[in-house]
Amino acid sequence: IDSEDDLLQECISSAMPKKK
Amino acid sequence: PTPPYLKWAESLHSLLDDQEGIQLFRGFLRQEGCGDQLDFWFACSGFRKSSQEKRPKLAKAIYRKYIQDSNGIVSRQIKPATKSFIRDCVVRLHLDPAMFQQAQTEIQSTMEENTYPLFLKSDSYLEYT
């Protein structure tokens, strides 16, 4: 379950805008 | 130049295009018990960009966390037909990068009609400005 959560978090972060 | 917080009021997309805006909006949504709306929205965008190897596990993770439980905030705001479509995709491993597109659009409309206007009137936003 933990790794599934990590995967999700990584996925969410990957879609966020990078710092300008 | 226009300060970022004025841009946030132009459209949901302007808000979601700014790290600080996202942070403030997320804090507001969590207070309202709707934090999952935003996480789901970003998860759908991330899924489209994810590698093919990660897709099966990721599709399942998104499905389990946000859609399977019909009492969850995201699940309640997505049409039943859209949910069955996603369930079918996960079960049959038809993992198209756009499989969450419709659900993302539905959640986006909910935010645009509901939580985003509330955010612009909220103390969090007003205090920030």
Side-chain angles (χ1 to χ4, degrees):
Chain A
I1 301 288
D2 262 0
S3 71
E4 208 170 72
D5 255 8
D6 291 346
L7 194 70
L8 250 180
Q9 277 316 311
E10 191 192 305
C11 170
I12 290 170
S13 311
S14 77
M16 299 236 178
K18 305 284 168 265
K19 226 179 177 87
K20 282 166 199 166
Chain B
T2 322
Y5 58 82
L6 286 182
K7 283 207 163 248
W8 303 346
E10 285 171 10
S11 70
L12 180 65
H13 271 281
S14 320
L15 176 66
L16 300 186
D17 199 33
D18 186 90
Q19 273 196 338
E20 226 168 307
I22 294 168
Q23 225 172 26
L24 202 68
F25 188 41
R26 176 181 265 170
F28 168 77
L29 288 176
R30 286 197 176 149
Q31 263 174 33
E32 301 291 309
C34 311
D36 277 0
Q37 277 184 345
L38 195 62
D39 288 344
F40 177 73
W41 191 88
F42 279 114
C44 295
S45 299
F47 182 79
R48 268 199 302 277
K49 298 197 274 180
S50 66
S51 65
Q52 210 166 349
E53 307 87 73
K54 282 189 185 163
R55 225 170 273 155
K57 227 178 168 180
L58 198 51
K60 248 186 231 165
I62 297 175
Y63 175 72
R64 273 199 205 137
K65 170 127 185 165
Y66 300 106
I67 296 169
Q68 193 171 35
D69 175 9
S70 51
N71 291 317
I73 182 93
V74 170
S75 187
R76 277 190 276 136
Q77 291 166 344
I78 296 175
K79 291 184 184 139
T82 310
K83 288 194 273 188
S84 341
F85 169 78
I86 293 172
R87 193 176 156 269
D88 266 16
C89 291
V90 172
V91 171
R92 296 177 192 191
L93 291 173
H94 280 175
L95 305 172
D96 189 85
M99 63 179 273
F100 291 104
Q101 182 90 53
Q102 175 61 27
Q104 185 182 27
T105 306
E106 287 172 23
I107 286 298
Q108 187 180 313
S109 306
T110 307
M111 288 196 281
E112 276 167 345
E113 285 160 21
N114 186 334
T115 37
Y116 172 64
L118 281 178
F119 167 72
L120 295 178
K121 285 188 248 167
S122 71
D123 289 345
S124 333
Y125 180 68
L126 295 179
E127 273 164 29
Y128 186 93
T129 57

